Amino acid sequence: MQQPPGARFAVAACLAAVVLLAAACGGESKQSVRRPTATPAEPALPAATPSAAGIAATPQAASVTPNPAQAAEALLARVTLFATDLPPGYGTGQPRFESSEATASRAPDRDAFLRDATARGRLGMAVVDFLSMPLDQGGAYLFVARIAFAAESGARAQMTAFQDGGLPAVRAALGDTGVPALPGEARLRPADGAGEQAVSAELPPARDAGIPAGRGLAFRRGRIVIILIGRNVPDLVQPAQILDSRAVAAQ
């Protein structure tokens, strides 16, 4: 059946539209598929440097000022004697450290002690003692004190006080502890064997208290003064030399 001319024109127009639409879609799909391109790297930023104002505003750690007494205690802990340094049979007492204020509290004249301690730059004293068995049963007793000063001149002044004042000056330096038994009548004499300055004394027995004869020895090494008092101890020089070598190493 033959179509009228208008209908044929409409069909042709429709076909042309379809062809154009397809061509358009095909072109878009070709344009949408593209090769990836590299993204240019961003330029590196310079490292930030703190401004002066920022530094000033940064909280600073508080500086710790060492306590002189604590520093002295740490020093004297390295200049000590142990039971293993002595012949077998000695037991060790409890080591203890005293600030100058604590020692002054036992002194007969607290104010005088503190005046001398301040003038000499005394920082503190460490004490330890050893006992083999009770003295009245023939045992031996050894007392060891170490006194630290801020400077060597203070330790020298302490030794001068011992030379001038004798055993009472030694008792005063110890806070008059009544260390068994430091008789006032014994004389201090220059001694050898340890330290840079040394004095010693022969201690008579105190028979009424069952305390045998003994010997005292005080010497200086650097800014440390060391005092040993032995009762029924055959030799003070050996423990003194051990302490002296440790004082050299500690300073």
Side-chain angles (χ1 to χ4, degrees), residues 46-187:
T49 56
S51 64
I55 294 173
T58 303
Q60 301 296 319
S63 59
V64 178
T65 302
N67 184 309
Q70 291 177 340
E73 183 175 10
L75 171 65
L76 296 179
R78 300 172 59 192
V79 188
T80 190
L81 206 63
F82 303 97
T84 51
D85 297 318
L86 302 174
Y90 280 90
T92 308
Q94 180 63 42
R96 51 202 183 273
F97 175 84
E98 289 184 347
S99 65
S100 297
E101 291 75 12
T103 307
S105 66
R106 292 185 286 98
D109 189 337
R110 178 182 181 277
D111 292 340
F113 180 94
L114 286 177
R115 280 195 304 270
D116 289 342
T118 300
R120 295 168 188 157
R122 176 172 170 150
L123 301 177
M125 176 176 70
V127 173
V128 65
D129 49 13
F130 306 87
L131 185 67
S132 66
M133 60 187 295
L135 285 175
D136 57 2
Q137 298 177 25
Y141 176 79
L142 177 62
F143 170 89
V144 181
R146 295 91 68 207
I147 307 173
F149 296 84
E152 184 175 321
S153 58
R156 287 181 179 273
Q158 183 66 78
M159 290 300 300
T160 299
F162 291 167
Q163 293 164 354
D164 295 342
L167 282 178
V170 177
R171 280 200 303 270
L174 297 174
D176 202 30
T177 58
V179 173
L182 227 77
E185 63 271 15
R187 294 176 59 86

